[in-house]
Amino acid sequence: MSTTPTTRRSFLKVSAATGGGMLLGLSWLSSCKNEKAAKAAPTLEMPEEWVTVSAFLKVGDNGVVTIMSPNPEIGQNVKTAMPMLVAEELDVDWQNVVVEQAGLDTDNYERQLAGGSQSIRVAWEPLRKAGATARYLLVAAAAQQLGVDAGELRTENGFVYHDGSDRKLGYGELASLAATMDPPKEVTLKAAGDFKIIGHPKKNVDAKKIVLGEPLYGLDLQREGMQYAAIVHPPAFGMRLKSVDDSAVRAMPGITDVVRINAAPEGVEMQWSDVNAFPELVAVIGDNTWRVLQAKKALQIEWETVTPAESSAEQQQRLVEALDNGKAEEARRDGDPEGAFARAAQVVEATYSAPFLPHNTMEPMNFFAHVTDEKAELIGPIQTPEFLRTTVSKLFDMPEERISIMMTRMGGGFGRRLYGNFGVEAALISKAAGGVPIKLVYSREDDMTQGTYRPAYLVRYRAALDEDGKLIGFHVRGTGTSESPVFANRFPAGTVDNYLVENISSDTNVSTGAWRAPRSNFIAGAEQSFLDEVAEAAGKDPIAFRLELFDRAIENPVGEENDYDAARYAGVLKLVRDKSGWNTNDDKRGVAAYYCHNSYVAQVLELEMRGNEPQVTEVHCAVDCGIVVNPEGANNQIEGGIIDGIGHALYGRLTVSKGVPDQQNYDTYRLIRHSEAPRAIHSHFVESTIAPTGLGEPSLPPVIGALANAMYRQTGERVYDQPFVQPRELRG
């Protein structure tokens, strides 16, 4: 048990961080339960009256509990996992919980964003504290009504019991009184061994709506009087609007207006720092999506060049020059790296590269906006609603309390919806059209050509080995378009006496941003591929080689700035070794391990070559993410990250020619097919009592290294450049 302090303010605000935008409907959940479970705990009907206990918690007169959820849901399954935290400490029957999506409300909720695989980690204690505080108040109300000491009472499945007199009261009977009471200064949280909901698999709470196609997403939104809008961005990076002739478009059927907007005025900070997002853009408004998307093609627009048009070949050459001769920032130095390489018996060197990647969310960018002189109403799929409100407030000089933002479920995010330029554009279009409610919808081409790509990267590794095959020196030097991918204090930092990290940045006018597991999505594959090559040069099994390094970091680490726990890191590697039945002589398997987002993942991947293309047949994945809140959702996240990583490593590539993206839709951009996904993925979670850490991203980075290493074992050829399978004509 643990005791934590609480106040009414923290209860109302922190407890509201039920994170991850949930819409938990109980009527369908009950239909999934077996007959025995249904008889044991019947699902309650929806109540006639509700009592608000706090800013996020309501209790119905029959004991049904509603939890307001502030955070966005982007498919990471926090809509299910986060209410489990509250329900656990509240001691309510899971099937009698209803969760509603809250809008942006920073007075009562904290950290209303989705990003960095941090929702569960940040909310772990606050949400449990919220549930425990509500339970304390309900027990206090029961003690008063029953005329007994609160210490004589216990709670279970939404009831307060007094065993001494064989009496019980339901939460619905107690809520009105509980809502008038002051919260305690401290609450006692359950020990992990007492959990009844946390750690037990629960179905995705939105599954029925998703399967039946019921409204959930931004694209589903309909409003009376709503118009549709399509926007025109510059056709190439480095260009901006000069003039527009919209006369022909205004005469087209269903078109109601054409407006020009200033999307990036001076003095307004934009989270999406985009050198290509020049202020003026053009939008077409009409009565349906098809008409506005077709009408924008008929606009006569003249563009002017502001910065030189770039091409991928030129960008790659700049990266090479930066890596070879650029001025480097020394991010970490241990010992005497130069001396180690000078006396080395063997030096291993390799260079790795990766291209731009678009986010490819299944649901293109879209947003609803209704902006008048008095107020602004914004609804849509956004990972950073608070920043969107702040930006709109500055654009219109409108107080934030007059701006409402409601988040919808997102058809994928992967970092793209951290950058809310599409929400700002929608607001500007509505205002420019005289306060008309509009829904802005991007086409696939709009989405893939607008930017905020994963940067292109280039990194060079060097390893020094002595006569006995011991690693005595390590040097990594990285660059990329806008940033270096190298993390100075991650493994193998701390395992080598002589260690050097250098970072170099290379400029581009192609806009870049966060992409699922930023930087890690490239550097993990490069690092783990290189370590396999070093292990081979040292004559050692790749897992045994890594474990030797971890032993050094455990027993006598180099430096004090290492980001990882070497024992936990080694633990997942040992677990995947044992679960997969690793055999160093198996020529179909590769291994990798990586730490990011506070979690540890190790993978063994098996494949077979079909001509020149690999088919992944099986992946074993060991994970240490602390306590697993919802095993079913955790498995989904691991599997999704693995498939995403394999697909983009094999096929993902976006190139630019004279400032224009070459791949603008799925006829030219290759995604992994269902038939190409692994036949089996086995997730193995470390049993833990440590607080939960990130899970939405950590399984993606290492699978790229495991894939590269397995390909080498099959073909005898190392792969250094992504995508591993070179582009060819796409199959239908």
Side-chain angles (χ1 to χ4, degrees):
M1 307 284 278
S2 61
T3 303
T4 58
T6 184
T7 64
R8 174 165 288 278
R9 176 63 176 170
S10 66
F11 173 52
L12 294 178
K13 188 169 184 178
V14 178
S15 64
T18 38
M22 319 150 224
L23 283 163
L24 194 161
L26 284 216
S27 56
W28 87 268
L29 279 178
S30 62
S31 69
C32 297
K33 294 185 176 295
N34 60 42
E35 184 177 347
K36 181 179 179 181
K39 290 180 178 179
T43 304
L44 301 175
E45 299 295 328
M46 293 301 291
E48 295 182 3
E49 295 183 1
W50 294 94
V51 175
T52 299
V53 179
S54 72
F56 81 105
L57 183 66
K58 296 185 295 184
V59 178
D61 54 13
N62 65 345
V64 172
V65 175
T66 291
I67 300 172
M68 300 302 297
S69 170
N71 282 30
E73 168 62 57
I74 55 174
Q76 78 278 46
N77 211 35
V78 292
K79 294 178 72 170
T80 305
M82 284 188 157
M84 291 171 67
L85 304 182
V86 181
E88 179 66 68
E89 296 290 348
L90 186 59
D91 258 354
V92 67
D93 192 328
W94 175 249
Q95 67 176 348
N96 292 322
V97 172
V98 178
V99 180
E100 298 177 1
Q101 174 67 58
L104 180 66
D105 181 359
T106 51
D107 287 339
N108 289 304
Y109 307 136
E110 292 184 346
R111 199 185 182 275
Q112 287 187 272
L113 64 89
S117 296
Q118 295 297 299
S119 293
I120 293 291
R121 177 174 179 259
V122 171
W124 170 248
E125 184 173 298
L127 294 192
R128 294 172 60 216
K129 184 192 296 184
T133 301
R135 182 172 60 85
Y136 179 97
L137 296 176
L138 291 163
V139 169
Q144 183 172 318
Q145 287 196 22
L146 296 173
V148 299
D149 187 272
E152 300 176 26
L153 302 174
R154 65 178 178 86
T155 58
E156 184 178 357
N157 285 339
F159 287 89
V160 181
Y161 292 86
H162 184 247
D163 294 331
S165 60
D166 198 26
R167 290 180 291 172
K168 70 175 182 178
L169 292 171
Y171 285 178
E173 302 171 78
L174 300 167
S176 294
L177 179 57
T180 67
M181 295 181 165
D182 290 328
K185 294 182 179 180
E186 294 182 339
V187 289
T188 300
L189 302 179
K190 292 182 180 180
D194 296 329
F195 291 157
K196 298 178 181 179
I197 295 175
I198 293 172
H200 299 271
K202 304 297 178 185
K203 296 293 184 182
N204 184 319
V205 298
D206 274 346
K208 184 180 179 182
K209 289 185 177 181
I210 293 171
V211 171
L212 296 181
E214 295 180 17
L216 276 174
Y217 301 93
L219 283 176
D220 297 327
L221 182 71
Q222 299 290 331
R223 280 293 181 86
E224 184 177 353
M226 183 181 78
Q227 296 280 294
Y228 295 84
I231 198 162
V232 184
H233 295 106
F237 293 98
M239 301 187 78
R240 70 180 175 191
L241 179 68
K242 184 176 182 181
S243 66
V244 58
D245 180 353
D246 58 20
S247 55
V249 171
R250 289 182 179 276
M252 295 176 71
I255 301 305
T256 58
D257 206 352
V258 179
V259 299
R260 292 174 69 163
I261 61 172
N262 185 350
E266 293 184 7
V268 178
E269 179 187 359
M270 294 292 181
Q271 181 185 18
W272 39 94
S273 180
D274 179 354
V275 297
N276 190 57
F278 293 106
E280 286 200 281
L281 301 172
V282 183
V284 178
I285 303 171
D287 59 9
N288 68 48
T289 306
W290 174 255
R291 282 177 166 171
V292 296
L293 289 175
Q294 297 308 304
K296 78 171 191 174
K297 299 176 184 177
L299 289 168
Q300 300 297 310
I301 299 179
E302 183 180 4
W303 305 93
E304 61 181 345
T305 299
V306 181
T307 58
E310 299 182 8
S311 296
S312 291
E314 299 165 357
Q315 292 166 339
Q316 182 65 19
Q317 184 57 40
R318 286 207 303 269
L319 291 179
V320 171
E321 293 173 357
L323 195 67
D324 289 342
N325 306 307
K327 183 178 180 181
E329 173 192 353
E330 190 173 286
R332 176 164 175 156
R333 174 183 286 271
D334 294 327
D336 178 16
E338 292 82 2
F341 280 94
R343 66 177 182 273
Q346 184 179 2
V347 173
V348 183
E349 181 175 315
T351 301
Y352 302 84
S353 71
F356 291 122
L357 289 180
H359 294 83
N360 291 306
T361 61
M362 287 294 99
E363 179 191 23
M365 301 305 109
N366 66 91
F367 226 81
F368 169 85
H370 187 191
V371 181
T372 66
D373 291 336
E374 291 75 32
K375 63 180 181 179
E377 180 187 18
L378 306 172
I379 307 173
I382 180 72
Q383 292 178 239
T384 50
E386 185 176 356
F387 197 93
L388 175 61
R389 184 180 67 182
T390 301
T391 304
V392 170
S393 174
K394 292 179 180 178
L395 282 170
F396 300 138
D397 193 23
M398 181 181 290
E400 291 190 0
E401 57 267 24
R402 287 163 51 189
I403 302 170
S404 67
I405 296 181
M406 176 59 102
M407 294 83 76
T408 60
R409 187 181 180 97
M410 289 171 250
F414 315 119
R416 173 61 185 91
R417 288 184 162 101
L418 290 169
Y419 308 95
N421 57 304
F422 49 93
V424 171
E425 291 167 356
L428 289 166
I429 293 167
S430 175
K431 184 69 183 298
V436 174
I438 64 97
K439 180 163 69 174
L440 172 65
V441 179
Y442 278 24
S443 67
R444 180 62 59 192
E445 289 80 3
D446 291 333
D447 206 14
M448 289 187 68
T449 60
Q450 188 273 333
T452 60
Y453 306 127
R454 193 278 303 273
Y457 292 124
L458 190 68
V459 65
R460 179 171 298 140
Y461 285 92
R462 298 169 65 230
L465 300 172
D466 66 12
E467 294 83 354
D468 299 321
K470 180 183 177 182
L471 182 62
I472 60 172
F474 200 89
H475 177 201
V476 55
R477 183 177 171 96
T479 187
T481 50
S482 73
E483 66 178 7
S484 167
V486 183
F487 295 90
N489 298 316
R490 290 189 183 175
F491 180 80
T495 70
V496 188
D497 288 322
N498 307 293
Y499 190 83
L500 177 61
V501 176
E502 296 178 298
N503 290 324
I504 308 163
S505 181
S506 179
D507 294 332
T508 180
N509 66 4
V510 175
S511 61
T512 60
W515 194 95
R516 191 175 188 177
R519 297 162 61 196
S520 296
N521 56 53
F522 164 70
I523 202 65
E527 169 202 291
Q528 291 296 304
S529 298
F530 183 67
L531 287 174
D532 252 44
E533 194 163 348
V534 176
E536 183 180 48
K540 298 177 180 179
D541 171 81
I543 291 182
F545 175 72
R546 288 170 171 82
L547 290 176
E548 286 181 12
L549 297 177
F550 286 130
D551 285 343
R552 170 66 193 277
I554 293 170
E555 297 167 4
N556 185 24
V558 180
E560 299 179 355
E561 301 298 326
N562 305 318
D563 290 341
Y564 59 92
D565 182 324
R568 293 179 69 187
Y569 216 148
V572 291
L573 195 55
K574 293 174 182 177
L575 180 60
V576 81
R577 176 195 63 191
D578 298 340
K579 292 292 186 180
S580 68
W582 173 261
N583 180 348
T584 191
N585 296 317
D586 190 336
D587 65 0
K588 294 184 177 181
R589 287 178 153 191
V591 66
Y594 195 67
Y595 162 83
C596 68
H597 300 87
N598 309 102
S599 294
Y600 302 81
V601 174
Q603 295 161 340
V604 169
L605 178 148
E606 180 179 295
L607 60 78
E608 56 189 33
M609 296 301 295
R610 296 179 178 176
N612 294 323
E613 292 195 22
Q615 170 64 58
V616 178
T617 55
E618 186 176 50
V619 179
H620 283 268
C621 183
V623 184
D624 185 348
C625 59
I627 293 171
V628 178
V629 175
N630 182 11
E632 180 150 330
N635 272 310
N636 292 342
Q637 288 303 296
I638 293 302
E639 293 167 3
I642 286 172
I643 295 171
D644 200 10
I646 291 171
H648 280 92
L650 289 176
Y651 310 117
R653 185 179 79 154
L654 186 136
T655 57
V656 178
S657 298
K658 296 182 179 179
V660 180
D662 297 314
Q663 296 78 26
Q664 302 191 7
N665 208 320
Y666 295 144
D667 59 338
T668 53
Y669 189 90
R670 179 81 154 85
L671 289 173
I672 192 170
R673 308 295 207 267
H674 284 89
S675 62
E676 295 163 338
R679 296 171 189 164
I681 297 175
H682 310 281
S683 301
H684 313 286
F685 292 92
V686 173
E687 293 187 10
S688 176
T689 58
I690 298 173
T693 50
L695 203 55
E697 294 163 281
S699 70
L700 184 151
V703 79
I704 300 171
L707 173 63
N709 294 332
M711 289 177 67
Y712 170 69
R713 287 188 165 220
Q714 272 279 284
T715 66
E717 296 181 3
R718 298 265 179 202
V719 286
Y720 299 103
D721 304 309
Q722 295 181 37
F724 298 155
V725 175
Q726 293 306 304
R728 58 180 174 80
E729 185 177 351
L730 298 181
R731 294 196 297 267

